[in-house]
Amino acid sequence: MNKVFHGVELLTVDEVAQALRVSRMTVYRKVHSGELPSVHFGRSFRIPASAMDAYLPPELREGHD
């Protein structure tokens, strides 16, 4: 197993859309523009959970006091 991917959580477009409370199309636009990093598998995209966290403003990230 490649250690680069060990412990990386990948989210579907639907999961990201639900978490951000936006449409799937909005997530696809962010992915295609490069604003939201992703991994492409065939016709599917997966977004690293860390990329979604980094996209959020600091006050909305988990663990913020």
Side-chain angles (χ1 to χ4, degrees):
M1 175 187 256
N2 189 338
K3 291 186 179 188
V4 173
F5 291 109
H6 183 69
V8 174
E9 181 182 3
L10 297 174
L11 305 171
T12 65
V13 169
D14 286 335
E15 291 170 331
V16 173
Q18 288 176 352
L20 296 177
R21 300 182 67 105
V22 298
S23 72
R24 293 174 62 224
M25 201 65 207
T26 298
V27 176
Y28 280 119
R29 280 190 209 106
K30 303 277 183 205
V31 164
H32 287 293
S33 73
E35 197 173 338
L36 193 58
S38 66
V39 179
H40 196 187
F41 292 106
R43 295 181 64 198
S44 300
F45 290 94
R46 296 294 184 265
I47 296 93
S50 59
M52 188 183 77
D53 288 340
Y55 181 77
L56 292 172
E59 61 272 9
L60 297 178
R61 294 181 193 154
E62 280 189 42
H64 178 76
D65 293 329

